[in-house]
Amino acid sequence: MKRNVLYIEDNEKIGSWVKEELEQRGFSVQWLLTGEGAEKEVNQQDIVILDIMLPGLDGFTVGKRLKKTAPSIPILLLTARTSIDDKVDGLQFADDYVTKPFHTDELVARIEVLIRRSGGIKSDRITLGNQIEVDPEGQMIFDKHTGEEIILTGKQHQILMYFIRHPNQVLTKEQIYEAIWDEAYITGDKTLMVHIHRLRQKLERHPDSPEIIETLKGIGYRVKL
């Protein structure tokens, strides 16, 4: 399910990078270089990501206007300004404040939290392929045709949920292993491969020709939503 982001950032290098990272993770991003025209766009969004140091109207002014226009749309300030005064001023209207430099995983986690709190993410089931449904709230997996729950082991469940948290993103074996096992990946280790194989046997109609967990040879895996 696409989440719509209004992103206001005048630094083209940073803006291009953040937009690409978010789109790889399943977001739809509308990027503006200034706050001009943002009020006309905000009601179509699930969240606003806003820089403070903008040409023309600064981010504080733009943010206050957006919050007045659309009180229910969360605003995340993403800025190089780190002073306590700036944070206090920003949090008078914004819902979160992240300083540069930042890691995209943290940014995405904060975005997801804000959208959930605002009601932007519904508890509708997510469909994987033609036969699997996932309840993202209860984190239960079902066969869509029979309605029966599919029981996964702890690691299988963690791996699948990690894919769902990173939709449409190519994930390396190293990324997945280190996120799930919380230890460094050793080249040649087959542990993840075995778990992916067994997970496919439970989810895929044809495990040898998988439709849900896609292999990108020499790179890693991807689950498309």
Side-chain angles (χ1 to χ4, degrees):
M1 178 172 52
K2 287 282 187 182
R3 282 73 50 83
N4 297 317
V5 176
L6 179 60
Y7 178 38
I8 307 172
E9 166 66 70
D10 68 312
N11 185 306
E12 295 194 23
K13 183 176 180 180
I14 294 174
S16 178
W17 170 62
V18 171
K19 183 176 188 292
E20 182 179 354
E21 287 287 328
L22 293 181
E23 287 178 341
Q24 287 180 353
R25 299 175 189 230
F27 293 91
S28 176
V29 181
Q30 183 176 359
W31 174 28
L32 302 179
L33 294 170
T34 72
E36 185 176 350
E39 290 170 77
K40 297 179 182 178
E41 306 294 338
V42 66
N43 282 305
Q44 285 72 53
Q45 312 300 325
D46 293 306
I47 191 169
V48 176
I49 302 175
L50 176 62
D51 187 21
I52 292 176
M53 295 182 287
L54 296 171
L57 295 176
D58 64 48
F60 289 133
T61 303
V62 173
K64 290 173 184 176
R65 291 184 178 183
L66 293 178
K67 185 58 75 170
K68 185 176 180 180
T69 301
S72 65
I73 306 299
I75 296 175
L76 184 151
L77 289 173
L78 185 62
T79 176
R81 291 170 63 162
T82 61
S83 76
I84 294 299
D85 287 343
D86 284 333
K87 291 181 180 180
V88 171
D89 289 344
L91 290 172
Q92 296 301 308
F93 65 90
D95 301 274
D96 202 353
Y97 193 110
V98 176
T99 57
K100 303 172 183 176
F102 58 92
H103 195 287
T104 50
D105 284 345
E106 179 187 0
L107 177 63
V108 169
R110 289 175 179 267
I111 290 171
E112 297 282 13
V113 168
L114 292 178
I115 294 177
R116 282 199 301 271
R117 286 177 181 171
S118 71
I121 291 182
K122 308 296 189 265
S123 59
D124 297 338
R125 292 182 180 182
I126 296 169
T127 299
L128 302 177
N130 294 316
Q131 73 282 358
I132 300 298
E133 287 186 335
V134 179
D135 176 356
E137 186 171 338
Q139 296 193 359
M140 300 172 69
I141 298 93
F142 299 90
D143 184 309
K144 185 168 66 174
H145 301 298
T146 67
E148 294 182 358
E149 183 180 358
I150 298 172
I151 305 300
L152 304 180
T153 66
K155 292 299 184 190
Q156 290 168 3
H157 190 274
Q158 289 178 47
I159 292 167
L160 181 61
M161 290 301 139
Y162 187 73
F163 280 126
I164 289 173
R165 289 197 302 272
H166 299 81
N168 309 308
Q169 182 180 354
V170 178
L171 302 170
T172 66
K173 291 181 289 186
E174 291 82 0
Q175 280 178 287
I176 302 168
Y177 185 91
E178 291 173 8
I180 302 303
W181 278 269
D182 195 26
E183 58 186 46
Y185 175 78
I186 299 174
T187 302
D189 190 313
K190 304 293 185 182
T191 303
L192 176 62
M193 186 183 298
V194 170
H195 280 78
I196 294 286
H197 174 73
R198 291 175 179 167
L199 184 56
R200 281 172 167 160
Q201 289 180 318
K202 293 183 178 181
L203 301 181
E204 304 276 5
R205 286 186 303 172
H206 306 290
D208 293 334
S209 302
E211 299 175 349
I212 297 173
I213 303 175
E214 178 185 5
T215 296
L216 286 89
K217 192 171 182 180
I219 303 174
Y221 302 96
R222 174 173 60 189
V223 168
K224 293 183 179 180
L225 297 186

